[in-house]
Amino acid sequence: MNGRKKVAVLISGRGSNMMSLISAAMAPDYPAEIALVLSNKPEAGGLQRADDLGIKTAVVDHREYKGDREAFERAVNAILRDNGIELVVLAGFMRLLTPYLVNEWRERMINIHPALLPSFKGLNTHERALDEGVKLHGATVHFVSAEMDDGPIIAQGAVPVLDSDTPDSLAARVLSVEHQIYPRALELVASGKARVKGQRVAISGGSEPSDPTFLIAP
Ligand code: GRF
């Protein structure tokens, strides 16, 4: 397919969401190609997985920038530009971003967070969901804005919280939903169907119940 958007996936760890995106992008009619996987950690397991699939990888080790977050981001951005990247997908990229990178990629950078935003921003979302006794938990794909885990929501997936759940069992159920909604959300963004309108994301053609902007898993 011509005009596939060139995507960079930014990771810090095992890269299971990255794998779900790579696998979706193998479909010939998918509107994006994963052109680059970049990590701030040389030891991130996802780098090897991407490399094994013949995808270009890069490392910008944040520790070499000694706390200068913007200098780190400038180095990341230079690589994104050099590779002709058009969309940036954060998939377990464990760095707080400065306004510099957020503004460089405004409305062209998306993130996945393992909770139903705006609930449970930040870390340890599954433990906190269990502590609060919520009955539904899940994951959210959103455009990245200056605030952490904030920005217009593209897609959400919900899972029931079971009495027997531990943080690990809940995390596994949420992760499975992440792997379904992230490729769908990227598809909507790369095809230009999902557009930011103020605080909301409008899907061109309107949202039908069958639209892939939400998912409720059994
Ligand atoms: C996922 O739970 C994602 O929601 C969060 O970090 C985790 C990354 O997992 N932002 P993986 O590296 O994609 O397996």
Side-chain angles (χ1 to χ4, degrees):
M1 177 179 163
N2 278 334
R4 278 155 63 99
K5 285 273 191 306
K6 290 186 85 171
V7 170
V9 182
L10 272 51
I11 63 168
S12 301
R14 65 193 162 181
S16 72
N17 277 289
M18 171 203 80
M19 289 298 290
S20 74
L21 296 165
I22 291 172
S23 127
M26 282 176 180
D29 58 347
Y30 196 77
E33 63 162 306
I34 311 304
L36 178 71
V37 171
L38 184 149
S39 177
N40 64 309
K41 290 190 170 187
E43 67 275 19
L47 285 172
Q48 186 65 51
R49 299 172 86 179
D51 190 55
D52 288 346
L53 292 166
I55 293 170
K56 185 169 180 182
T57 62
V59 174
V60 182
D61 189 339
H62 66 278
R63 290 167 296 197
E64 289 174 11
Y65 294 85
K66 306 197 188 330
D68 186 343
R69 289 181 182 275
E70 192 173 314
F72 162 74
E73 290 178 359
R74 286 188 184 278
V76 169
N77 203 33
I79 294 176
L80 299 176
R81 298 290 179 209
D82 285 350
N83 284 277
I85 297 303
E86 298 168 280
L87 287 173
V88 176
V89 173
L90 308 181
F93 186 63
M94 303 303 282
R95 300 307 297 161
L96 287 175
L97 300 184
T98 77
Y100 164 71
L101 202 65
V102 172
N103 287 329
E104 284 287 307
W105 292 93
R106 187 165 290 283
E107 298 186 13
R108 291 177 301 134
M109 182 188 282
I110 65 177
N111 181 47
I112 190 158
H113 179 70
L116 292 172
L117 291 174
S119 293
F120 307 122
K121 296 179 180 184
L123 298 174
N124 304 320
T125 56
H126 311 305
E127 287 90 330
R128 288 158 58 209
L130 288 171
D131 287 348
E132 293 291 345
V134 297
K135 298 299 183 195
L136 278 175
H137 184 46
T140 303
V141 182
H142 62 96
F143 283 101
V144 174
S145 68
E147 302 283 312
M148 180 189 66
D149 300 328
D150 200 60
I153 290 171
I154 303 159
Q156 292 189 301
V159 303
V161 179
L162 308 179
D163 287 348
S164 57
D165 265 328
T166 63
D168 283 350
S169 66
L170 188 53
R173 206 171 317 110
V174 171
L175 192 63
S176 151
V177 158
E178 293 183 38
H179 296 162
Q180 296 171 67
I181 63 171
Y182 216 0
R184 292 178 179 189
L186 176 59
E187 184 176 0
L188 288 171
V189 173
S191 65
K193 287 185 187 152
R195 288 182 198 278
V196 178
K197 295 236 166 88
Q199 279 307 303
R200 303 175 70 161
V201 172
I203 307 297
S204 66
S207 288
E208 299 294 329
S210 58
D211 264 358
T213 52
F214 65 89
L215 175 86
I216 302 172

